[in-house]
Amino acid sequence: MSSIRPWRTIERRPSRQIMVGAVPVGGDAPITVQTMTNTLTSDARATIDQIRRCEEAGADIIRVSCPDVDSTAALKEIVRAAKVPIVADIHFHYRRALEAADAGAACLRINPGNIGSADRVREVVNAAKANGCAIRIGVNAGSLEKHLLEKYGEPCPEALVESALDHIRLLEDHDFREYKVAVKASDVFLAVAAYQQLAMTVDCPLHLGITEAGGLVGGTVKSAIGIGNLLWAGIGDTIRVSLSAEPEEEVRVGYEILKGLGIRNRGVRVVSCPSCARQGFDVIRTVEKLEERLQHIRTPMSLSVLGCVVNGPGEARETDIGVTGGGNGRHMVYLSGVTDHHVQDEGMVDHIVRLVEAKAAEIEAASVASAAAVQLSAAE
């Protein structure tokens, strides 16, 4: 059946599916959002507290760095407390990978070529198999192997892809195929080109990211350009937005990228104007307050907040709840695209929050009722 809006269709690249704990990655599974803790992993309490905040923000998978024995020793408690799969980030020290696998990590982030001899690679693969761990191969333009830099002269798409294929070969030589791959760079053009080449070469799931992207604003823009470009082309199965910001912010930005492409929705999608002299209320401050107070909403829904009647009614017709600025502090509220009532400046934010919460509860109740009806029909 053809789409009524073919210009919105994204043809996703076919890939194998692997499991990261209980979370499927690749194939027809939803594109997952990841982040990474920045606490000392050896401080289990602090790390668990940060993981909890990331879970509340919607993280599907969370990575923790395991640079030493104290970190892998704390990992068992961290894994037990986490509600989402935990990926252990390992560099060079193969014993940390063995310890992390035994501690319950759902995935090991390694570069097989960087952990030593063939025997050590075999030990890590065996530990992953024994513990049901996936492996993420993480190629990074900032840490390419010396022989590839000598061969190509600089980090380039061909060098990143060759590095990834070398690491893949080491795993497949040991009959291990539960892996996903990233070829990250801080240069958006380099990263996108490398992922495009890799996507045509392998059938494994791809982990997307623009590494060392920068701070909250600059890094969000770079990540949206790079990750968004690839997702729009159907490339990518899981994403991590790398920001010099708290990890829960990475999760929120990741979801905003997916929401912007209509790939996956979580929480309130806000449609709002940049404001101008026509605005009937302070749009910028109103949106700031609403975004802050609606973070707890997980139900996918839409809210339009526009300052005047030029575009306000049109946008409101397309959203679950809308507010359009009017004169004398009196603004129109729309419910399911239909004009419903007016609201005054005073208490407007509180009023909209209550409407959103009520709509979310209504949507959830309908979803539960629909699921129950399907089960009843199946039982009959």
Side-chain angles (χ1 to χ4, degrees):
M1 183 176 177
S2 61
S3 170
I4 61 170
R5 298 184 181 91
W7 33 270
R8 284 187 179 177
T9 301
I10 294 176
E11 295 292 340
R12 190 169 170 189
R13 160 188 169 268
S15 74
R16 289 188 287 110
Q17 187 174 100
I18 68 169
M19 298 298 295
V20 177
V23 175
V25 176
D28 59 356
I31 293 170
T32 50
V33 176
Q34 303 194 24
T35 188
M36 185 174 183
T37 58
N38 56 32
T39 53
L40 287 175
T41 306
S42 54
D43 185 343
R45 187 70 265 155
T47 303
I48 291 167
D49 287 345
Q50 191 171 73
I51 286 172
R52 195 70 70 238
R53 293 194 294 275
C54 293
E55 290 171 338
E56 290 171 359
D60 299 298
I61 299 170
I62 298 175
R63 180 160 43 119
V64 302
S65 183
C66 292
D68 49 41
V69 175
D70 290 341
S71 296
T72 51
L75 194 61
K76 185 174 290 186
E77 180 181 353
I78 292 168
V79 168
R80 190 164 52 242
K83 299 174 184 175
V84 300
I86 298 297
V87 178
D89 192 82
I90 311 294
H91 287 279
F92 306 116
H93 303 292
Y94 85 104
R95 287 193 181 279
R96 301 295 83 77
L98 303 180
E99 294 158 2
D102 288 341
C107 180
L108 306 174
R109 187 275 188 207
I110 62 170
N111 282 349
N114 293 345
I115 59 174
S117 66
D119 286 342
R120 290 181 175 181
V121 173
R122 184 182 299 108
E123 281 192 65
V124 171
V125 170
N126 287 342
K129 287 181 178 179
N131 290 280
C133 288
I135 288 177
R136 173 164 82 86
I137 294 170
V139 175
N140 193 305
S143 56
L144 273 174
E145 294 87 341
K146 184 179 178 182
H147 75 278
L148 291 175
L149 288 175
E150 290 175 351
K151 177 178 178 179
Y152 291 99
E154 64 175 4
C156 62
E158 292 76 15
L160 268 66
V161 171
E162 185 170 333
S163 176
L165 294 177
D166 287 344
H167 293 307
I168 286 172
R169 197 170 299 113
L170 289 173
L171 296 183
E172 297 220 342
D173 283 347
H174 296 290
D175 194 31
F176 189 89
R177 286 174 57 78
E178 295 297 303
Y179 61 81
K180 52 195 173 82
V181 182
V183 281
K184 295 185 179 183
S186 59
D187 181 312
V188 176
F189 295 94
L190 173 55
V192 169
Y195 276 111
Q196 288 171 334
Q197 287 190 23
L198 187 64
M200 294 186 292
T201 309
V202 299
D203 70 345
C204 62
L206 298 183
H207 170 119
L208 302 187
I210 305 299
T211 194
E212 290 106 28
L216 181 58
V217 176
T220 293
V221 172
K222 284 180 67 176
S223 297
I225 292 170
I227 295 174
N229 188 308
L230 290 163
L231 290 172
W232 201 335
I235 297 170
D237 303 286
T238 184
I239 67 173
R240 189 264 173 116
V241 178
S242 299
L243 302 176
S244 298
E246 293 306 318
E248 52 265 45
E249 295 296 337
E250 295 186 346
V251 178
R252 294 186 185 111
V253 172
Y255 269 99
E256 288 301 323
I257 292 172
L258 294 177
K259 284 159 68 174
L261 289 167
I263 291 173
R264 190 173 172 196
N265 291 310
R266 180 186 191 276
V268 182
R269 176 176 62 86
V270 177
V271 177
S272 60
C273 67
S275 80
C276 69
R278 290 190 303 267
Q279 65 181 354
F281 57 88
D282 188 338
V283 173
I284 293 174
R285 249 54 63 184
T286 298
V287 170
E288 286 177 351
K289 292 174 184 175
L290 287 169
E291 287 185 333
E292 176 65 29
R293 292 188 52 187
L294 295 174
Q295 286 185 13
H296 66 292
I297 302 294
R298 301 184 181 186
T299 307
M301 57 183 299
S302 53
L303 167 68
S304 59
V305 183
L306 281 91
C308 76
V309 297
V310 173
N311 291 321
E315 293 292 353
R317 281 194 291 270
E318 303 297 324
T319 53
D320 293 305
I321 295 170
V323 59
T324 296
N328 301 316
R330 192 166 182 264
H331 318 298
M332 178 58 71
V333 175
Y334 300 75
L335 301 180
S336 300
V338 178
T339 56
D340 192 82
H341 61 275
H342 288 90
V343 64
Q344 300 291 334
D345 278 333
E346 186 178 354
M348 183 172 72
V349 170
D350 290 339
H351 182 70
I352 294 173
V353 169
R354 287 195 295 271
L355 289 175
V356 169
E357 290 174 338
K359 184 65 176 180
E362 177 189 324
I363 293 171
E364 289 300 315
S367 177
V368 170
S370 176
V374 169
Q375 287 183 340
L376 182 61
S377 176
E380 291 174 349

